[in-house]
Amino acid sequence: MSYIQLKNVNKFYNKNTNAEVHALKNVNLEINKGEMVAIEGVSGSGKSTLLHILGCLDLKIDGQYYLNKECIDKKTHKQLAVIRNKRIGFVLQQFGLINENTVVQNVSIPLLLGDIGLKYIKHECLSVLKELNISELADRKVSQISGGQKQRVAIARALVNKPEIILADEPTGALDRKTSNGVMELLKKINKQGKTVIIVTHDKEVSKLCSKTLRIEDGHLVNY
Amino acid sequence: MIGRIIYIGLNKLKRDIWARIFICVQLVLIIYLFNLTIGMWRHETYILNMVNTMNLKNAYYCSNDFESFDSTNTVSIGEITQAFGKLKNQNKTTLKIKVYDEEITKNITLPLSKGIWFEEYNGKELPIILSNSYAKKYNLDINDTIELELQYSTEDINVQESFDVECKVIGTLNKANYHLTFSSMGNYLIWKNLFKQDESVALIGSSSISAEPLSGKMVFLKNLDDDSTVLLDKLGKLSSITSSQQITKNSKEVMSDKLKTQIIMWFLILALTLASLTSNNMLEKIYEEKEFAAYYMLGLDWSKCVLIEIFRGVIQILFSFVIAFILLKLLHGDSNYKTLIIDGYSYLLSIIMVFCVYMISSLWMIIELLRTNPIVLIRRNE
Ligand SMILES: Nc1ncnc2c1ncn2[C@@H]1O[C@H](COP(=O)(O)OP(=O)(O)OP(=O)(O)O)[C@@H](O)[C@H]1O
Ligand SMILES: [Mg+2]
C-alpha cells in the first residue's frame, strides 16, 4: 500500500441542498513517501478541496483515506488535530500568518500546540529560521516583511514540527517569478531531505520541478 | 493542553494589551457601579428587613408628648431618654447614650454582632450595649465593666445634670449600628426617622435611670381588640399617632421611587456596556477568525479555539473584578454599612452580572465560531 492513498473519494459541499457541489468525483490517488507531486487544474476544478482532504482539514468525505496505512476517515477530531500538528505542514498562497505577531511567534505555533517544553520552543524556531536563512527576521512583525519573506516564514512554520508531509496550496501564487523560484528551490531542498511534498499550482514552471504531476478536471483526477 | 491554551490566551491578551485594558476599564466601571447601586439598595432595604424581623405588628409611634395616660393591661408605653457619656477619667470620644425603658427593651430587639439583648440579661449590674465601632475603637468587649460619666440637660436648658454609673457591657450592635431613637419629624414617617446609625452610641436598658426625655413614645398594644381601638382613638386625640404598618408603607413608597430611577439608570448603563463590548467583538471577529483558522490548520481542535476565546474573557473579568474590588475597598471601605452595604453577596452578584454581560456580548462571536467550518475560514484567507 502506498504512503498516501485515497480510494473512491467523493466530496460534496452542501450535500442534499440546492447549492450542492460535487467537488471531487471518485478520486483514487496513490503517492509514495518522498515524492514531490504537483496537482494542476483550472480554477474551481477541486485542487484545494483535494489538498484539504489530504491535510486532514476536511474529513467529511465519502470514501477512504489511508495515511501510512492508517485509516484517516475513521479518526476523531482530536486525533486529526494531532496528525495535522505532528505529521503535516501547510503552506498557503496568502501565507496564513498572524500579522500582528512576530515571526518567531508565528513559527512557534505548531510547537505550542504540541507537547515540546516551553523553554525549547524558541530554540527550535530559531534553528529552523537559520536553516532557511531568515534568522534576521526573527523578531520582526509579519506585517513588516515582504511577500517572499512571508512565504519563507510560512515554510519555516510548516517545517518546525518536522512533519513527514508538506502540503502547499499555490505557494507561489502571490509572488513574482524570481521570488517564486527561490521558494520552489526551498521546497525542492525540503523534498530532498526526504519529505513528501504536494504542491497545488497553476504554474507550469512549478510543476516541471516535481517528479509527478496530477491533473484534476472538474473533480476527476487524471494521471498525466 | 489546558496549560497551552492558557498560555496562548495570555499571549493574545498581551498582544493587544491596550484594547484589552480599555475593555477592562469598562468592566471595572460596571462592577464598581453595580456594587455601589446594589450596596445603596441593600442599605435602603436593610431597615425594612430589620423591622420585619422585629415583629412590630401592634406598635405605634406617638409624636407628641402626653403627660399622663393610664397604661392599662391592654397597652404599654415605651420611652427613651438620652444623655452624653464619657469613659470616666479617660479622654475618649463622647458617647451618645440612649436609655431604653423596660417596655422598649421588651418589645424591640436590635440586631447585635455579639452578646445578648437586655431581655436575656439578668445580672445585677447595669447593662450596656455599645456600638460596634466604639467597641472596636477602644477595644471593649462583652463582660467588660466600664465606668461612665453621664451628662444631660434638664428641661431648663441651662441646667446640666451629671452622674456616674458603672455598667457591664452585655453586647455590641452589629456593623450597621442601627438603634432606635425619637426625634421630631413630620407626619410622613418612615423607619429611617426612627432607626438611626451612629458610630459612638451606647444603649442602656433601665427603667430607673432617666435623663433628658426624647419627645415621642412607642405604644405597644397587647391585643388588637375593641378596648384597644378605643384607647387608640383616645391617644390619637392627644398626639399624632402612626402605626408601624403605615410607617412600613411609607418607607416602601419612598424606596420604590428611588428604585424606579435606579432601574432606569441601570438599564442604560448595561445597554451601553453591552453595545460597546458587542461592537468591539464584531469588529474583532474577522481578525480573530483568521487567527483561529491558523491554529486549527496547525493542529488545534476547533472546540479548543473556542475555549481560548472563553478563557480570554474569563481572565479579563477576573482582572477587572480585582481592580474594582480594590477601588471599592479604598473609596468606600469606610462607608460600608453606613451608607451602603457591600459584602460577599454583592461581590458574587456583581461578578455573575459582569460574566453574563461579557458572555452575552461575545456569545454571538462564540456561536459564529462554533457554527463556522474552519475550512471556510482557511479558504477565505487563501
Ligand atoms: N465551502 C464551499 N461550499 C460550497 N462549494 C464550495 C466550497 N468550497 C469550494 N466549493 C466549490 O468546490 C469546487 C472546487 O473548489 P476548489 O476550491 O477546490 O477549487 P480550486 O481548484 O482550488 O480552485 P482555485 O484554483 O480557484 O483555487 C468549486 O466549484 C467551488 O465552487
Ligand atoms: Mg484553490
Side-chain angles (χ1 to χ4, degrees), chain A residues 13 48-49 52 57-58 77 81 84-85 90 92 94 97-101 109 111-114 116 118 157 169, chain B residues 1 4 7-8 11 14-15 287 290-291 294-302 304 373-375 378-379 381-382:
Chain A
Y13 288 108
S48 298
T49 305
H52 291 159
L57 286 170
D58 189 353
H77 284 290
R84 288 198 298 275
N85 180 249
F90 287 94
L92 305 178
Q94 293 300 337
L97 299 168
I98 298 163
N99 284 320
E100 299 74 23
N101 281 359
I109 298 172
L111 296 173
L112 268 180
L113 302 179
I116 171 177
L118 279 181
R157 186 179 67 178
D169 197 346
Chain B
M1 200 62 214
R4 290 297 161 88
Y7 184 88
I8 293 171
N11 267 336
K14 207 167 88 188
R15 188 180 64 211
Y287 129 145
K290 189 177 166 196
E291 187 162 345
Y295 286 134
Y296 174 81
M297 185 177 81
L298 299 172
L300 195 63
D301 212 357
W302 193 241
K304 300 243 171 63
N373 184 344
I375 313 218
I378 293 170
R379 273 178 184 280
N381 300 313
E382 245 168 23

Side-chain angles (χ1 to χ4, degrees), chain A residues 19-174:
Chain A
E20 184 177 292
V21 179
H22 195 171
L24 290 182
K25 297 166 185 161
N26 257 334
V27 170
N28 288 289
L29 169 75
E30 291 188 25
I31 294 173
N32 294 319
K33 198 170 177 136
E35 272 189 306
M36 181 148 169
V37 180
I39 299 175
E40 277 185 355
V42 295
S43 186
S45 55
K47 306 182 295 293
S48 298
T49 305
L50 178 61
L51 203 72
H52 291 159
I53 290 170
L54 291 175
C56 303
L57 286 170
D58 189 353
L59 257 276
K60 275 194 206 140
I61 55 167
D62 302 329
Q64 283 107 48
Y65 173 15
Y66 294 95
L67 174 61
N68 202 10
K69 301 194 188 84
E70 282 175 65
C71 185
I72 297 298
D73 46 296
K74 299 253 157 33
K75 298 212 181 280
T76 62
H77 284 290
K78 218 170 155 180
Q79 289 168 324
L80 291 174
V82 174
I83 292 176
R84 288 198 298 275
N85 180 249
K86 299 238 182 309
R87 299 170 63 180
I88 296 168
F90 287 94
V91 181
L92 305 178
Q93 180 176 0
Q94 293 300 337
F95 325 122
L97 299 168
I98 298 163
N99 284 320
E100 299 74 23
N101 281 359
T102 64
V103 166
V104 174
Q105 283 170 334
N106 268 285
V107 174
S108 67
I109 298 172
L111 296 173
L112 268 180
L113 302 179
D115 37 26
I116 171 177
L118 279 181
K119 58 182 176 217
Y120 305 113
I121 287 182
K122 179 129 191 192
H123 177 258
E124 288 286 311
C125 291
L126 290 178
S127 77
V128 175
L129 290 177
K130 192 161 170 227
E131 213 179 296
L132 303 192
N133 289 322
I134 44 171
S135 305
E136 73 282 359
L137 299 180
D139 293 317
R140 298 260 290 276
K141 278 216 168 136
V142 168
S143 52
Q144 296 163 0
I145 62 178
S146 75
Q149 289 171 328
K150 280 182 193 169
Q151 200 55 299
R152 278 168 187 273
V153 172
I155 293 173
R157 186 179 67 178
L159 287 176
V160 75
N161 236 350
K162 305 189 170 62
E164 305 147 21
I165 306 165
I166 298 290
L167 299 175
D169 197 346
E170 304 197 32
T172 59

